[in-house]
PDB file of all heavy atoms in Angstrom:
ATOM      1  N   ILE A  90      -2.766   9.845  -0.811  1.00 81.00           N
ATOM      2  CA  ILE A  90      -1.469  10.330  -0.358  1.00 81.00           C
ATOM      3  C   ILE A  90      -1.145  11.650  -0.902  1.00 81.00           C
ATOM      4  O   ILE A  90      -0.716  12.579  -0.232  1.00 81.00           O
ATOM      5  CB  ILE A  90      -0.375   9.326  -0.741  1.00 81.00           C
ATOM      6  CG1 ILE A  90      -0.425   8.001   0.024  1.00 81.00           C
ATOM      7  CG2 ILE A  90       1.005   9.988  -0.598  1.00 81.00           C
ATOM      8  CD1 ILE A  90      -0.153   8.195   1.505  1.00 81.00           C
ATOM      9  N   GLU A  91      -1.521  11.822  -2.209  1.00 83.00           N
ATOM     10  CA  GLU A  91      -1.290  13.183  -2.833  1.00 83.00           C
ATOM     11  C   GLU A  91      -2.138  14.229  -2.181  1.00 83.00           C
ATOM     12  O   GLU A  91      -1.675  15.311  -1.969  1.00 83.00           O
ATOM     13  CB  GLU A  91      -1.606  13.086  -4.326  1.00 83.00           C
ATOM     14  CG  GLU A  91      -1.432  14.376  -5.031  1.00 83.00           C
ATOM     15  CD  GLU A  91      -2.002  14.406  -6.453  1.00 83.00           C
ATOM     16  OE1 GLU A  91      -3.070  13.861  -6.647  1.00 83.00           O
ATOM     17  OE2 GLU A  91      -1.428  15.091  -7.330  1.00 83.00           O
ATOM     18  N   ASP A  92      -3.388  13.878  -1.844  1.00 84.00           N
ATOM     19  CA  ASP A  92      -4.316  14.838  -1.171  1.00 84.00           C
ATOM     20  C   ASP A  92      -3.811  15.282   0.149  1.00 84.00           C
ATOM     21  O   ASP A  92      -3.752  16.446   0.508  1.00 84.00           O
ATOM     22  CB  ASP A  92      -5.688  14.171  -1.029  1.00 84.00           C
ATOM     23  CG  ASP A  92      -6.677  15.125  -0.494  1.00 84.00           C
ATOM     24  OD1 ASP A  92      -6.952  16.146  -1.125  1.00 84.00           O
ATOM     25  OD2 ASP A  92      -7.335  14.831   0.492  1.00 84.00           O
ATOM     26  N   VAL A  93      -3.323  14.330   0.960  1.00 82.00           N
ATOM     27  CA  VAL A  93      -2.742  14.601   2.255  1.00 82.00           C
ATOM     28  C   VAL A  93      -1.483  15.456   2.171  1.00 82.00           C
ATOM     29  O   VAL A  93      -1.300  16.464   2.912  1.00 82.00           O
ATOM     30  CB  VAL A  93      -2.429  13.348   3.133  1.00 82.00           C
ATOM     31  CG1 VAL A  93      -1.673  13.693   4.423  1.00 82.00           C
ATOM     32  CG2 VAL A  93      -3.725  12.569   3.359  1.00 82.00           C
ATOM     33  N   LEU A  94      -0.656  15.167   1.117  1.00 83.00           N
ATOM     34  CA  LEU A  94       0.586  15.900   1.003  1.00 83.00           C
ATOM     35  C   LEU A  94       0.269  17.370   0.606  1.00 83.00           C
ATOM     36  O   LEU A  94       0.904  18.317   1.074  1.00 83.00           O
ATOM     37  CB  LEU A  94       1.458  15.270  -0.067  1.00 83.00           C
ATOM     38  CG  LEU A  94       2.109  13.962   0.290  1.00 83.00           C
ATOM     39  CD1 LEU A  94       2.617  13.251  -0.999  1.00 83.00           C
ATOM     40  CD2 LEU A  94       3.330  14.184   1.257  1.00 83.00           C
ATOM     41  N   GLN A  95      -0.765  17.624  -0.199  1.00 83.00           N
ATOM     42  CA  GLN A  95      -1.132  18.878  -0.668  1.00 83.00           C
ATOM     43  C   GLN A  95      -1.730  19.715   0.472  1.00 83.00           C
ATOM     44  O   GLN A  95      -1.373  20.882   0.723  1.00 83.00           O
ATOM     45  CB  GLN A  95      -1.936  18.879  -1.846  1.00 83.00           C
ATOM     46  CG  GLN A  95      -1.271  18.400  -3.156  1.00 83.00           C
ATOM     47  CD  GLN A  95      -2.199  18.324  -4.407  1.00 83.00           C
ATOM     48  OE1 GLN A  95      -3.378  18.148  -4.226  1.00 83.00           O
ATOM     49  NE2 GLN A  95      -1.542  18.523  -5.545  1.00 83.00           N
ATOM     50  N   LYS A  96      -2.660  19.035   1.135  1.00 84.00           N
ATOM     51  CA  LYS A  96      -3.406  19.766   2.289  1.00 84.00           C
ATOM     52  C   LYS A  96      -2.478  20.095   3.406  1.00 84.00           C
ATOM     53  O   LYS A  96      -2.729  21.124   4.146  1.00 84.00           O
ATOM     54  CB  LYS A  96      -4.592  18.909   2.729  1.00 84.00           C
ATOM     55  CG  LYS A  96      -5.721  18.828   1.740  1.00 84.00           C
ATOM     56  CD  LYS A  96      -6.828  17.996   2.317  1.00 84.00           C
ATOM     57  CE  LYS A  96      -8.056  18.035   1.350  1.00 84.00           C
ATOM     58  NZ  LYS A  96      -9.201  17.192   1.850  1.00 84.00           N
ATOM     59  N   SER A  97      -1.358  19.299   3.581  1.00 82.00           N
ATOM     60  CA  SER A  97      -0.500  19.621   4.705  1.00 82.00           C
ATOM     61  C   SER A  97       0.602  20.558   4.240  1.00 82.00           C
ATOM     62  O   SER A  97       1.546  20.915   5.102  1.00 82.00           O
ATOM     63  CB  SER A  97       0.111  18.307   5.184  1.00 82.00           C
ATOM     64  OG  SER A  97       0.839  17.565   4.104  1.00 82.00           O
ATOM     65  N   GLY A  98       0.651  20.924   3.036  1.00 80.00           N
ATOM     66  CA  GLY A  98       1.621  21.885   2.550  1.00 80.00           C
ATOM     67  C   GLY A  98       2.989  21.356   2.250  1.00 80.00           C
ATOM     68  O   GLY A  98       3.955  22.159   1.948  1.00 80.00           O
ATOM     69  N   VAL A  99       3.124  20.043   2.196  1.00 81.00           N
ATOM     70  CA  VAL A  99       4.392  19.415   1.834  1.00 81.00           C
ATOM     71  C   VAL A  99       4.726  19.694   0.388  1.00 81.00           C
ATOM     72  O   VAL A  99       5.839  19.846   0.016  1.00 81.00           O
ATOM     73  CB  VAL A  99       4.419  17.946   2.131  1.00 81.00           C
ATOM     74  CG1 VAL A  99       5.753  17.273   1.727  1.00 81.00           C
ATOM     75  CG2 VAL A  99       4.236  17.747   3.633  1.00 81.00           C
ATOM     76  N   ILE A 100       3.706  19.692  -0.514  1.00 80.00           N
ATOM     77  CA  ILE A 100       3.789  19.956  -1.885  1.00 80.00           C
ATOM     78  C   ILE A 100       2.788  21.056  -2.302  1.00 80.00           C
ATOM     79  O   ILE A 100       1.690  21.051  -1.601  1.00 80.00           O
ATOM     80  CB  ILE A 100       3.684  18.743  -2.828  1.00 80.00           C
ATOM     81  CG1 ILE A 100       2.291  18.056  -2.526  1.00 80.00           C
ATOM     82  CG2 ILE A 100       4.765  17.794  -2.566  1.00 80.00           C
ATOM     83  CD1 ILE A 100       1.973  16.934  -3.419  1.00 80.00           C
TER      84      ILE A 100
END
Side-chain angles (χ1 to χ4, degrees):
I90 290 293
E91 181 192 35
D92 185 59
V93 175
L94 288 165
Q95 288 179 333
K96 286 182 178 179
S97 59
V99 178
I100 56 175

